[in-house]
């Protein structure tokens, strides 16, 4: 399977704990995105990497959230001092360099986080 | 502002056609996308349309684009029970080289046998 993979698929944690999620993009894709999806909503953009550089962060990404992509391959998303409002599906997507104006994002299966 | 709107629910009988509608905001979007999400899963790319096209057909899927009204629709012919899922339209907003997707709230399609 050469699609986007995410680990873990599910995470249950207690409020105040730190959690870290991993995303492995499709190997030749230099662009990587994190989105958050809450129940009944569409995904919302969190942050974007081009290679190892984090080029954009949403205002949704509070100081408790940090994302890295140290070697321009896999990425991690860490949430510190989790709150119940952080409960959501965290989706990772990757894309190759744009072809003309077309930049198609391929999504992983997501990590579902539940904060008790 | 950035807001993509979709109706929340659609119910059809197996074998009928389904039409899922979407209204987007950015007239400069060059491509528009449809994704499918099954329960507990990530998003699966279904199809996309270039903004200079009015229609694109891909097997059972037909995408119609009305740029003047910023209206996008997805028609699924001969709808099957396996088509039951949530369908999202997505509009890329480009800022400084970032293609940030703005998603609608999703339309939950239920196919009745």
């Amino acid at each position: 399977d050469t699609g986007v993979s995410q680990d873990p698929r599910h995470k249950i944690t207690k409020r105040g704990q730190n959690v870290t999620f991993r995303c492995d993009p499709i190997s030749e894709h230099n662009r990587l995105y994190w989105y958050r999806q809450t129940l009944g909503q569409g995904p919302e953009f969190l942050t974007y990497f081009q290679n190892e550089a984090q080029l954009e962060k949403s205002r949704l990404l509070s100081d408790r959230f940090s994302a890295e992509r140290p070697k321009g391959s896999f990425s991690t998303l860490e949430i510190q001092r989790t709150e119940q409002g952080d409960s959501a599906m965290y989706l990772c997507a990757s894309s190759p360099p744009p072809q003309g104006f077309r930049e198609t994002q391929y999504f992983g299966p997501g990590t579902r986080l539940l904060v008790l | 502002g950035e807001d993509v709107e979709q109706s929340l629910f659609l119910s059809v009988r197996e074998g009928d056609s389904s039409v899922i509608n979407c209204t987007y905001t950015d007239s400069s979007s060059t491509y528009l996308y449809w994704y499918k999400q099954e329960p507990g899963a990530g998003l699966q790319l279904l199809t996309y349309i270039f903004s200079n096209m009015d229609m694109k057909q891909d097997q059972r899927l037909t995408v119609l684009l009305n740029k003047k009204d910023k209206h996008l629709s997805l028609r699924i012919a001969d709808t099957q029970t396996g088509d039951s899922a949530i369908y999202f339209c997505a509009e890329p907003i480009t800022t400084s080289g970032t293609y940030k997707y703005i998603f609608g709230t999703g339309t939950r399609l239920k196919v009745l046998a």
Side-chain angles (χ1 to χ4, degrees):
Chain A
D1 185 11
T2 56
V4 178
S5 61
Q6 292 187 245
D7 183 69
R9 294 291 308 275
H10 303 273
K11 179 71 177 177
I12 300 174
T13 191
K14 292 183 180 178
R15 190 176 53 186
Q17 297 295 304
N18 299 342
V19 294
T20 300
F21 309 142
R22 176 178 170 126
C23 169
D24 285 90
I26 295 170
S27 60
E28 63 269 25
H29 288 185
N30 66 333
R31 294 168 173 237
L32 188 146
Y33 296 80
W34 285 98
Y35 291 83
R36 181 173 69 187
Q37 185 180 23
T38 53
L39 207 59
Q41 300 296 317
E44 295 176 293
F45 170 81
L46 290 179
T47 190
Y48 159 66
F49 288 87
Q50 185 169 320
N51 299 311
E52 65 275 8
Q54 188 175 18
L55 297 185
E56 186 168 346
K57 291 167 58 172
S58 164
R59 66 183 186 280
L60 293 175
L61 217 63
S62 76
D63 291 345
R64 296 184 298 107
F65 288 70
S66 62
E68 294 182 343
R69 195 183 182 198
K71 296 181 182 178
S73 56
F74 73 91
S75 176
T76 58
L77 177 68
E78 181 184 13
I79 310 174
Q80 295 182 325
R81 305 181 304 280
T82 52
E83 301 173 356
Q84 287 180 327
D86 298 331
S87 296
M89 173 85 92
Y90 290 84
L91 294 162
C92 175
S94 72
S95 65
Q99 299 171 315
F101 292 105
R102 182 164 64 89
E103 193 259 20
T104 302
Q105 296 183 16
Y106 297 88
F107 283 79
T111 294
R112 185 171 293 282
L113 172 67
L114 178 60
V115 182
L116 302 176
Chain B
E2 302 170 348
D3 200 11
V4 177
E5 295 185 353
Q6 296 180 242
S7 52
L8 293 180
F9 299 102
L10 177 65
S11 179
V12 300
R13 295 201 176 277
E14 192 174 20
D16 288 350
S17 292
S18 308
V19 179
I20 301 170
N21 295 304
C22 170
T23 303
Y24 62 97
T25 57
D26 188 353
S27 58
S28 66
S29 295
T30 51
Y31 282 88
L32 294 153
Y33 296 84
W34 284 102
Y35 285 83
K36 175 184 179 182
Q37 186 176 38
E38 297 187 34
L43 277 70
Q44 173 194 350
L45 176 66
L46 280 180
T47 189
Y48 57 86
I49 188 166
F50 186 42
S51 59
N52 70 352
M53 298 169 68
D54 297 326
M55 184 181 81
K56 178 182 178 182
Q57 188 148 3
D58 185 358
Q59 300 181 335
R60 291 192 297 121
L61 304 179
T62 303
V63 180
L64 296 178
L65 176 60
N66 180 330
K67 276 197 79 173
K68 175 175 171 291
D69 295 337
K70 298 181 189 172
H71 185 264
L72 182 71
S73 68
L74 175 70
R75 179 177 179 269
I76 306 173
D78 187 25
T79 313
Q80 303 298 305
T81 54
D83 295 324
S84 292
I86 303 175
Y87 291 81
F88 293 94
C89 62
E91 170 187 28
I93 304 293
T94 307
T95 53
S96 303
T98 302
Y99 288 74
K100 175 176 67 175
Y101 279 22
I102 305 299
F103 287 88
T105 51
T107 299
R108 185 180 295 273
L109 173 64
K110 183 172 182 179
V111 182
L112 305 172

